[in-house]
């Protein structure tokens, strides 16, 4: 009798376990083929440097190819719009940065309907939050921020400022700077991303730019670019210990060029959970952190919900910067 009861219990238990596992088995079908990460910027910028090693680290976890495809243009808007209108099935993801936050505000500024807003995307993870540097090239005489500000004001409309695109992530720091120093009257050269903006200053088509530590470190070490100040809250003691922060110099500004991964809104929660787990595991892998270290970056990982909380605050900051540039 007891043995019979035990057997029946075992059968019922097994059936219950199989039933409970049923939906999970159905969800485990994702992914069944390659995932594409759309990088909204050209090669050579911070998104490229972060996204490629992340994709490589995700492949063994998801057991599918993870392909990175660049769709650059309009300071990252082209790639953002492409993913916002992609099928929300987890197979098309977006690698973007700080610039994504201000697009709706930029459209409002130009009196046009918003093409994308922050609500169009589900944040999956923030990967890095790189302090941005104010840089001049080696042909400029300025050795300090004070000299640069005085020089720019004394020679209005002569120095050219290169950015990765109008109102993009490397144009916005200029708004913070001018909010603190007053108008610097720099001529603006928007390009298609951080990479082209750096090429412009290296070739002296521009004389000043604001770019991340990692994207410019090799040029700083080679003496081609000179960092005058960092927008970071603290000095980058590991790689650029001698570069003061704006806060140290008496300017209350802070700005990071962060890189994050997003899925289009409407992506099923189970798929979002799978992607968050895979990205988290990849981000914390030795393979990925070593790749970051090679470009002078440090992991600043936030999982989806924490990233959303950060983005809500950072997005308001970005909106303020857009409005501030628009008033000039």
């Amino acid at each position: 009798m007891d043995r019979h009861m035990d057997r029946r219990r075992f059968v019922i238990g097994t059936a219950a376990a199989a039933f409970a596992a049923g939906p999970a088995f159905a969800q485990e079908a994702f992914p069944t083929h390659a995932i594409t990460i759309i990088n909204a910027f050209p090669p050579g910028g911070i998104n490229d440097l972060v996204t490629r090693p992340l994709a490589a680290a995700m492949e063994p976890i998801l057991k599918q190819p993870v392909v990175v495809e660049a769709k650059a243009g309009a300071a990252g808007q082209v790639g953002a719009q492409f993913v916002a209108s992609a099928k929300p099935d987890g197979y098309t993801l977006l690698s973007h940065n700080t610039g994504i936050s201000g697009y709706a505000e930029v459209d409002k500024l130009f009196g046009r309907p918003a093409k994308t807003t922050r609500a169009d995307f589900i944040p999956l993870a923030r990967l890095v939050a790189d302090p941005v540097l104010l840089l001049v090239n080696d042909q400029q005489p300025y050795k300090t921020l004070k000299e640069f500000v005085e020089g720019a004001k004394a020679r209005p409309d002569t120095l050219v400022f290169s950015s990765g695109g109008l109102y993009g992530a490397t144009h916005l720091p200029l708004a913070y700077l001018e909010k603190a120093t007053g108008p610097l009257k720099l001529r603006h050269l928007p390009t298609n991303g951080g990479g082209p903006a750096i090429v412009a200053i290296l070739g002296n088509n521009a004389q000043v730019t604001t770019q991340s530590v990692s994207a410019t470190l090799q040029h700083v070490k080679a003496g081609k670019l000179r960092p005058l100040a960092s927008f970071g809250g603290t000095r980058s003691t590991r790689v650029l210990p001698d570069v003061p922060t704006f806060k140290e110099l008496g300017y209350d500004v802070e700005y990071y060029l962060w890189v994050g991964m997003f899925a289009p809104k409407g992506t099923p929660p189970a798929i979002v959970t799978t992607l968050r787990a895979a990205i988290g595991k990849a981000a914390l892998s030795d393979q990925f952190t070593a790749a970051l270290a090679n470009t002078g970056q440090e992991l600043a990982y936030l999982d989806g919900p924490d990233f959303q909380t950060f983005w809500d605050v950072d997005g308001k900051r970005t909106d303020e910067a857009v409005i501030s540039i628009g008033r000039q």
Side-chain angles (χ1 to χ4, degrees), residues 233-256:
T234 55
R235 289 193 186 202
S236 298
T237 46
R238 199 168 53 82
V239 287
L240 295 171
D242 300 331
V243 179
T245 65
F246 278 98
K247 288 195 167 174
E248 279 177 59
L249 299 171
Y251 297 103
D252 188 23
V253 289
E254 196 171 331
Y255 184 87
Y256 295 89

Side-chain angles (χ1 to χ4, degrees), residues 23-89:
F25 286 137
Q27 285 159 14
E28 274 168 16
F30 176 82
T32 57
H33 57 273
I35 288 171
T36 300
I37 300 175
I38 298 296
N39 170 17
F41 302 93
I46 185 172
N47 278 72
D48 192 50
L49 296 172
V50 169
T51 311
R52 289 188 183 282
L54 181 81
M58 285 169 69
E59 286 189 343
I61 297 162
L62 291 169
K63 298 181 175 55
Q64 293 293 345
V66 181
V67 182
V68 179
E69 191 182 319
K71 275 195 192 302
Q77 278 222 46
V78 171
Q81 285 169 33
F82 180 85
V83 175
S85 56
K87 193 175 174 192
D89 56 6

Side-chain angles (χ1 to χ4, degrees), residues 7 59 82 84 104 115 134 164 194 198 200 216 219 233 241 263 295 322:
R7 187 177 171 279
E59 286 189 343
F82 180 85
K115 295 182 202 77
L134 174 70
I198 293 163
T216 54
H219 307 300
T295 55
V322 170

Side-chain angles (χ1 to χ4, degrees), residues 148-160:
F148 167 74
V149 170
E150 286 170 359
K153 288 184 173 180
R155 298 165 56 208
D157 301 314
T158 54
L159 292 175
V160 176

